[in-house]
Amino acid sequence: MKTITFTINGEKETRDVSESKTLLNFIREDLHLTGTKEGCGEGECGACTIILNGKAVHSCMMLAVEIDGCDVETVEVMSKDGNLDILQEKFIEHNAVQCGFCTPGMLMSARALLLSNPNPTVDEIKTALEGNICRCTGYKQIIEAVSDAAKGGKYE
Amino acid sequence: MPTLNYLCPTTSSELKKILKKKKTDSFILAGGTDLLVKIRHNVVKPKEIIDIKKIKKFNEIKLTKTQLNIGCAATLNEIAENKTIKEKFPAIADGSLSIGSTQIRNRGTLVGNLCNSSPVADTVPGLLIYDAKIKILSPTGTKTVSIHDFITGVGKNILKKNEIVESVILPLPKNTKSAFLKNARRKALDLSSVNVAVGLFNKSKKNPDIRIAVGACAPITKRAQKAEKFLKKNGLTDETIKKAAKMLPISPISDLRGSKEFRNKIAHRLFIKLATQLGEV
């Protein structure tokens, strides 16, 4: 076991964690934040995407001990006091959700993009989402939802 | 995953002490985009992980008057977005950008791509045409070797068990035009069927200092010396480029990313396209 200190969705936390635990399993099993999903477990599908120090990364391909001293955001950061984030609202409005399994990862990739680039082009949106696979083939609606959420360039 | 001992040195001297005692079941962790997959599939069974990312200088991309140093923990996206690399070493920037996805490039490193030593590695053709030097750190100090001597086989390189690559050094070229192209089944998250880097290192079309490397078509990606010499002697024309394409040192295999016939054809096409483009401007 190793003691790590990190920020999760804005809250500072100190936890003991097994050195062999992946960050994804730590998030789901220890922090009980089950919005983050395991799809392939090897970096192909993007369902486990989280934001680490402002960048979208796969939580399945990291050890939990690696987040010591880091800032971590999961999909749970997005809604506050029962109010949805603009990205979540636009995903619903554009029917960008079908089975919903890829959605947390899609939202995290889109959020990482808008936080660093508030006015992305469609190509930039596609690049940001290239690591997120949707098997219900809803890419068109997802890209439209992200474009719409970015309107005005004031995402925060 | 079995129990692990996780070590996270914050200075080179601390790392050197760890490397001195490093055993064969101890693995270096930078981005982890290859290592974590190998652990998941039981390809490797580490008892110890040495995380090298917290050593500050390993994360740097540093420009001096004569060279550019890329630290072993610098991520592929940091490299792809770096202004100097985009300007002076576009084959490295584009090679890095063609790997995996945004999430993978935010973690994976160029040095990891190199040390994995896969024949399909997308940063290797670029490293070859820029004559990169590889700085190796061991418990006793550092040494520098040429990229041309680094990779020794499929997944194999000259690194000994207590050595790591600390950085990649790219000598700043003059009068360079260079580019990288990759063919894969889909744009994101796919390995190359063929990748090619070509650079023109002088302004002479008559005696071009051209450098060519074709990847994913042989166990070890090497410079196309015969084709380079031929073009230097005979000049850069549509005709000589077509002849040079037949001299590429490629012996592709058939696998799920393409048959050998397909790979041969694509390698020729990508090389001809790049060489023609560079000759035009």
Side-chain angles (χ1 to χ4, degrees), chain B residues 17 29 45 58 65 80 114 122 129 134 136 145 156 171 174 184 189 204 214 218 256 258 265 267 270 274 278 280:
Chain B
K17 279 180 207 152
L29 171 71
K45 290 173 184 146
F58 286 4
K65 270 189 181 156
L114 172 66
D122 287 320
I129 65 162
I134 313 300
I136 295 173
V145 300
K156 289 184 185 139
K174 283 177 193 156
L189 285 163
S204 169
V214 181
L256 76 167
K265 236 177 212 172
L270 292 182
L274 281 181
L278 293 178
E280 273 167 7

mmCIF file of all heavy atoms in Angstrom, chain B residues 17 29 45 58 65 80 114 122 129 134 136 145 156 171 174 184 189 204 214 218 256 258 265 267 270 274 278 280:
data_model
loop_
_atom_site.group_PDB
_atom_site.id
_atom_site.type_symbol
_atom_site.label_atom_id
_atom_site.label_comp_id
_atom_site.label_asym_id
_atom_site.label_seq_id
_atom_site.Cartn_x
_atom_site.Cartn_y
_atom_site.Cartn_z
ATOM 1 N N LYS B 17 20.833 5.043 -8.485
ATOM 2 C CA LYS B 17 20.946 4.055 -7.403
ATOM 3 C C LYS B 17 19.941 2.924 -7.597
ATOM 4 O O LYS B 17 20.235 1.758 -7.359
ATOM 5 C CB LYS B 17 20.708 4.741 -6.044
ATOM 6 C CG LYS B 17 21.934 5.468 -5.531
ATOM 7 C CD LYS B 17 21.656 6.123 -4.188
ATOM 8 C CE LYS B 17 22.575 7.325 -4.009
ATOM 9 N NZ LYS B 17 22.005 8.363 -3.159
ATOM 10 N N LEU B 29 8.573 2.784 -16.218
ATOM 11 C CA LEU B 29 7.257 3.329 -16.577
ATOM 12 C C LEU B 29 7.398 4.814 -16.921
ATOM 13 O O LEU B 29 7.878 5.605 -16.119
ATOM 14 C CB LEU B 29 6.288 3.173 -15.388
ATOM 15 C CG LEU B 29 4.932 3.880 -15.502
ATOM 16 C CD1 LEU B 29 4.047 3.196 -16.533
ATOM 17 C CD2 LEU B 29 4.224 3.891 -14.154
ATOM 18 N N LYS B 45 5.484 -9.683 -16.427
ATOM 19 C CA LYS B 45 4.971 -9.808 -15.058
ATOM 20 C C LYS B 45 5.913 -9.074 -14.101
ATOM 21 O O LYS B 45 6.737 -9.687 -13.440
ATOM 22 C CB LYS B 45 4.873 -11.285 -14.686
ATOM 23 C CG LYS B 45 3.758 -11.979 -15.458
ATOM 24 C CD LYS B 45 3.766 -13.468 -15.218
ATOM 25 C CE LYS B 45 2.699 -14.106 -16.080
ATOM 26 N NZ LYS B 45 3.021 -15.418 -16.575
ATOM 27 N N PHE B 58 13.594 15.213 -17.217
ATOM 28 C CA PHE B 58 13.173 14.201 -18.194
ATOM 29 C C PHE B 58 11.952 14.650 -18.997
ATOM 30 O O PHE B 58 11.646 14.102 -20.045
ATOM 31 C CB PHE B 58 12.860 12.866 -17.501
ATOM 32 C CG PHE B 58 14.075 12.109 -17.040
ATOM 33 C CD1 PHE B 58 15.350 12.643 -17.167
ATOM 34 C CD2 PHE B 58 13.948 10.846 -16.470
ATOM 35 C CE1 PHE B 58 16.478 11.949 -16.729
ATOM 36 C CE2 PHE B 58 15.058 10.136 -16.037
ATOM 37 C CZ PHE B 58 16.314 10.689 -16.164
ATOM 38 N N LYS B 65 21.711 26.087 -29.320
ATOM 39 C CA LYS B 65 22.097 26.638 -30.620
ATOM 40 C C LYS B 65 22.282 25.570 -31.689
ATOM 41 O O LYS B 65 22.052 25.782 -32.863
ATOM 42 C CB LYS B 65 23.404 27.425 -30.479
ATOM 43 C CG LYS B 65 23.136 28.869 -30.143
ATOM 44 C CD LYS B 65 24.397 29.681 -30.219
ATOM 45 C CE LYS B 65 24.074 31.119 -29.847
ATOM 46 N NZ LYS B 65 25.247 31.830 -29.349
ATOM 47 N N ALA B 80 4.296 16.838 -30.665
ATOM 48 C CA ALA B 80 3.556 17.185 -31.884
ATOM 49 C C ALA B 80 3.171 18.665 -31.911
ATOM 50 O O ALA B 80 3.023 19.252 -32.972
ATOM 51 C CB ALA B 80 2.304 16.316 -31.995
ATOM 52 N N LEU B 114 10.325 4.584 -29.133
ATOM 53 C CA LEU B 114 11.644 4.128 -29.574
ATOM 54 C C LEU B 114 12.078 2.865 -28.824
ATOM 55 O O LEU B 114 12.536 1.894 -29.437
ATOM 56 C CB LEU B 114 12.663 5.256 -29.354
ATOM 57 C CG LEU B 114 14.127 4.916 -29.573
ATOM 58 C CD1 LEU B 114 14.393 4.601 -31.038
ATOM 59 C CD2 LEU B 114 15.025 6.056 -29.106
ATOM 60 N N ASP B 122 6.080 4.835 -35.290
ATOM 61 C CA ASP B 122 5.885 5.971 -36.193
ATOM 62 C C ASP B 122 6.881 7.113 -35.991
ATOM 63 O O ASP B 122 6.959 8.016 -36.823
ATOM 64 C CB ASP B 122 4.460 6.510 -36.048
ATOM 65 C CG ASP B 122 3.431 5.582 -36.684
ATOM 66 O OD1 ASP B 122 3.717 5.046 -37.770
ATOM 67 O OD2 ASP B 122 2.360 5.390 -36.090
ATOM 68 N N ILE B 129 16.004 9.885 -40.329
ATOM 69 C CA ILE B 129 16.422 10.864 -41.350
ATOM 70 C C ILE B 129 17.102 12.078 -40.723
ATOM 71 O O ILE B 129 17.885 12.752 -41.366
ATOM 72 C CB ILE B 129 15.277 11.306 -42.304
ATOM 73 C CG1 ILE B 129 14.185 12.068 -41.571
ATOM 74 C CG2 ILE B 129 14.718 10.134 -43.094
ATOM 75 C CD1 ILE B 129 13.292 12.881 -42.500
ATOM 76 N N ILE B 134 21.042 9.081 -29.340
ATOM 77 C CA ILE B 134 20.288 8.573 -28.206
ATOM 78 C C ILE B 134 21.175 8.637 -26.972
ATOM 79 O O ILE B 134 22.243 8.033 -26.941
ATOM 80 C CB ILE B 134 19.846 7.097 -28.450
ATOM 81 C CG1 ILE B 134 19.236 6.920 -29.852
ATOM 82 C CG2 ILE B 134 18.902 6.618 -27.358
ATOM 83 C CD1 ILE B 134 18.013 7.743 -30.135
ATOM 84 N N ILE B 136 21.966 7.606 -23.361
ATOM 85 C CA ILE B 136 21.627 6.489 -22.477
ATOM 86 C C ILE B 136 22.195 6.734 -21.081
ATOM 87 O O ILE B 136 23.356 7.099 -20.928
ATOM 88 C CB ILE B 136 22.183 5.162 -23.061
ATOM 89 C CG1 ILE B 136 21.470 4.860 -24.392
ATOM 90 C CG2 ILE B 136 22.006 4.008 -22.086
ATOM 91 C CD1 ILE B 136 22.028 3.680 -25.147
ATOM 92 N N VAL B 145 24.684 7.201 -28.242
ATOM 93 C CA VAL B 145 24.858 6.320 -29.403
ATOM 94 C C VAL B 145 24.025 6.857 -30.565
ATOM 95 O O VAL B 145 23.103 7.643 -30.378
ATOM 96 C CB VAL B 145 24.437 4.859 -29.104
ATOM 97 C CG1 VAL B 145 25.250 4.271 -27.967
ATOM 98 C CG2 VAL B 145 22.953 4.765 -28.809
ATOM 99 N N LYS B 156 13.570 -5.320 -30.034
ATOM 100 C CA LYS B 156 14.876 -5.435 -29.361
ATOM 101 C C LYS B 156 15.741 -4.209 -29.625
ATOM 102 O O LYS B 156 15.726 -3.639 -30.724
ATOM 103 C CB LYS B 156 15.627 -6.663 -29.866
ATOM 104 C CG LYS B 156 15.009 -7.944 -29.390
ATOM 105 C CD LYS B 156 15.862 -9.123 -29.837
ATOM 106 C CE LYS B 156 15.173 -10.423 -29.463
ATOM 107 N NZ LYS B 156 15.267 -11.420 -30.511
ATOM 108 N N PRO B 171 20.258 16.920 -33.981
ATOM 109 C CA PRO B 171 21.107 18.025 -34.428
ATOM 110 C C PRO B 171 20.288 18.955 -35.329
ATOM 111 O O PRO B 171 19.568 18.476 -36.198
ATOM 112 C CB PRO B 171 22.219 17.344 -35.225
ATOM 113 C CG PRO B 171 22.018 15.880 -35.083
ATOM 114 C CD PRO B 171 20.652 15.629 -34.533
ATOM 115 N N LYS B 174 20.352 22.466 -41.438
ATOM 116 C CA LYS B 174 20.212 23.687 -42.241
ATOM 117 C C LYS B 174 19.522 23.318 -43.554
ATOM 118 O O LYS B 174 19.705 22.226 -44.057
ATOM 119 C CB LYS B 174 21.594 24.265 -42.557
ATOM 120 C CG LYS B 174 22.178 24.993 -41.362
ATOM 121 C CD LYS B 174 23.570 25.501 -41.675
ATOM 122 C CE LYS B 174 24.240 25.935 -40.397
ATOM 123 N NZ LYS B 174 25.685 25.918 -40.475
ATOM 124 N N ALA B 184 -2.542 3.626 -42.836
ATOM 125 C CA ALA B 184 -3.135 2.674 -41.893
ATOM 126 C C ALA B 184 -4.580 2.462 -42.300
ATOM 127 O O ALA B 184 -5.104 3.193 -43.134
ATOM 128 C CB ALA B 184 -3.047 3.209 -40.466
ATOM 129 N N LEU B 189 -6.014 5.493 -33.803
ATOM 130 C CA LEU B 189 -5.922 4.221 -33.093
ATOM 131 C C LEU B 189 -5.574 3.033 -33.984
ATOM 132 O O LEU B 189 -6.156 1.976 -33.868
ATOM 133 C CB LEU B 189 -7.257 3.923 -32.390
ATOM 134 C CG LEU B 189 -7.517 4.743 -31.134
ATOM 135 C CD1 LEU B 189 -8.977 4.674 -30.767
ATOM 136 C CD2 LEU B 189 -6.663 4.261 -29.977
ATOM 137 N N SER B 204 20.161 21.484 -53.507
ATOM 138 C CA SER B 204 20.536 21.047 -54.854
ATOM 139 C C SER B 204 19.598 19.964 -55.378
ATOM 140 O O SER B 204 19.452 18.898 -54.770
ATOM 141 C CB SER B 204 21.972 20.514 -54.819
ATOM 142 O OG SER B 204 22.258 19.865 -56.026
ATOM 143 N N VAL B 214 11.853 3.993 -44.549
ATOM 144 C CA VAL B 214 10.524 3.383 -44.708
ATOM 145 C C VAL B 214 10.318 2.385 -43.568
ATOM 146 O O VAL B 214 11.124 1.474 -43.388
ATOM 147 C CB VAL B 214 10.424 2.656 -46.068
ATOM 148 C CG1 VAL B 214 9.033 2.040 -46.239
ATOM 149 C CG2 VAL B 214 10.724 3.613 -47.205
ATOM 150 N N ALA B 218 10.145 -4.041 -42.714
ATOM 151 C CA ALA B 218 11.310 -4.890 -42.459
ATOM 152 C C ALA B 218 11.437 -5.048 -40.942
ATOM 153 O O ALA B 218 10.892 -4.236 -40.198
ATOM 154 C CB ALA B 218 12.572 -4.253 -43.033
ATOM 155 N N LEU B 256 -2.239 -8.763 -40.572
ATOM 156 C CA LEU B 256 -3.585 -8.197 -40.574
ATOM 157 C C LEU B 256 -3.605 -6.735 -41.034
ATOM 158 O O LEU B 256 -4.647 -6.197 -41.365
ATOM 159 C CB LEU B 256 -4.252 -8.342 -39.195
ATOM 160 C CG LEU B 256 -3.833 -7.428 -38.054
ATOM 161 C CD1 LEU B 256 -4.825 -7.535 -36.919
ATOM 162 C CD2 LEU B 256 -2.437 -7.732 -37.561
ATOM 163 N N GLY B 258 -2.006 -5.674 -43.731
ATOM 164 C CA GLY B 258 -1.771 -5.581 -45.170
ATOM 165 C C GLY B 258 -0.919 -6.733 -45.670
ATOM 166 O O GLY B 258 -0.084 -7.275 -44.937
ATOM 167 N N LYS B 265 3.603 -1.887 -52.654
ATOM 168 C CA LYS B 265 2.998 -0.872 -53.506
ATOM 169 C C LYS B 265 2.852 0.454 -52.757
ATOM 170 O O LYS B 265 3.203 1.519 -53.265
ATOM 171 C CB LYS B 265 1.615 -1.355 -53.969
ATOM 172 C CG LYS B 265 1.503 -1.352 -55.474
ATOM 173 C CD LYS B 265 0.181 -1.894 -55.922
ATOM 174 C CE LYS B 265 0.387 -2.588 -57.257
ATOM 175 N NZ LYS B 265 -0.780 -3.300 -57.697
ATOM 176 N N ALA B 267 4.422 1.451 -50.068
ATOM 177 C CA ALA B 267 5.736 2.024 -49.729
ATOM 178 C C ALA B 267 6.268 2.818 -50.923
ATOM 179 O O ALA B 267 6.753 3.946 -50.773
ATOM 180 C CB ALA B 267 6.709 0.914 -49.329
ATOM 181 N N LEU B 270 4.043 6.047 -51.364
ATOM 182 C CA LEU B 270 4.275 7.091 -50.361
ATOM 183 C C LEU B 270 5.635 7.751 -50.574
ATOM 184 O O LEU B 270 5.776 8.972 -50.479
ATOM 185 C CB LEU B 270 4.193 6.513 -48.933
ATOM 186 C CG LEU B 270 2.814 6.043 -48.457
ATOM 187 C CD1 LEU B 270 2.900 5.556 -47.015
ATOM 188 C CD2 LEU B 270 1.760 7.138 -48.560
ATOM 189 N N LEU B 274 6.247 11.732 -51.484
ATOM 190 C CA LEU B 274 7.042 12.624 -50.629
ATOM 191 C C LEU B 274 8.242 13.202 -51.373
ATOM 192 O O LEU B 274 8.515 14.399 -51.307
ATOM 193 C CB LEU B 274 7.536 11.872 -49.389
ATOM 194 C CG LEU B 274 6.532 11.682 -48.256
ATOM 195 C CD1 LEU B 274 7.191 10.938 -47.104
ATOM 196 C CD2 LEU B 274 6.003 13.013 -47.766
ATOM 197 N N LEU B 278 8.947 17.155 -52.150
ATOM 198 C CA LEU B 278 10.131 17.860 -51.650
ATOM 199 C C LEU B 278 10.939 18.455 -52.794
ATOM 200 O O LEU B 278 11.528 19.524 -52.662
ATOM 201 C CB LEU B 278 11.016 16.918 -50.826
ATOM 202 C CG LEU B 278 10.421 16.423 -49.514
ATOM 203 C CD1 LEU B 278 11.368 15.474 -48.828
ATOM 204 C CD2 LEU B 278 10.100 17.583 -48.590
ATOM 205 N N GLU B 280 9.747 19.606 -55.573
ATOM 206 C CA GLU B 280 9.020 20.680 -56.242
ATOM 207 C C GLU B 280 9.233 22.053 -55.624
ATOM 208 O O GLU B 280 9.432 23.034 -56.316
ATOM 209 C CB GLU B 280 7.513 20.378 -56.223
ATOM 210 C CG GLU B 280 7.061 19.534 -57.398
ATOM 211 C CD GLU B 280 5.663 18.982 -57.188
ATOM 212 O OE1 GLU B 280 5.003 19.353 -56.207
ATOM 213 O OE2 GLU B 280 5.253 18.155 -58.012
#
